[in-house]
Amino acid sequence: MRTCIGCRRTDSRSALLRVVLEVGEHGPTVVPDPERRRPGRGAWLHPAVSCLDLAVRRRGFGRALRSSVAPDTSVVAAVVEDLAQGQLSENEDRKRV
């Protein structure tokens, strides 16, 4: 069981997306770790736009990943939005059948 840094609800590892902090040329960036194998401290997030928004608003990424500077979350935002779109299209396909 892990806790989502957005909504703060617990869920299984399979239901959450693990993210890690990478430091690049432009500063710290939060990147997804779907295989759950990247080194370093990780944080867990439901792959939902609402949880992502809560985590950004509450500054959960910086706190959970122990970053003194606010990290860039654009990479994770793009992945979460893609996942949400994929889930929506799958649900629409199920309703049509």
Side-chain angles (χ1 to χ4, degrees):
M1 298 299 283
R2 302 287 187 256
T3 302
C4 173
I5 61 173
C7 65
R8 307 295 298 156
R9 289 184 301 194
T10 58
D11 212 335
S12 65
R13 287 175 47 155
S14 60
L16 297 167
L17 175 67
R18 183 176 188 262
V19 296
V20 295
L21 191 67
E22 283 188 356
V23 180
E25 297 174 7
H26 304 290
T29 303
V30 179
V31 295
D33 182 18
E35 291 85 29
R36 300 175 187 99
R37 300 200 191 290
R38 288 185 185 237
R41 184 172 183 82
W44 299 85
L45 178 73
H46 281 113
V49 176
S50 59
C51 287
L52 174 69
D53 291 342
L54 282 171
V56 170
R57 190 169 8 138
R58 294 176 179 169
R59 297 185 180 116
F61 288 107
R63 186 172 37 259
L65 298 171
R66 295 185 181 169
S67 174
S68 58
V69 179
D72 178 22
T73 59
S74 60
V75 175
V76 171
V79 169
V80 168
E81 288 173 6
D82 287 345
L83 289 172
Q85 289 294 332
Q87 290 174 354
L88 290 177
S89 63
E90 287 176 12
N91 288 338
E92 289 172 2
D93 290 341
R94 287 182 194 150
K95 288 179 184 176
R96 291 181 189 161
V97 173

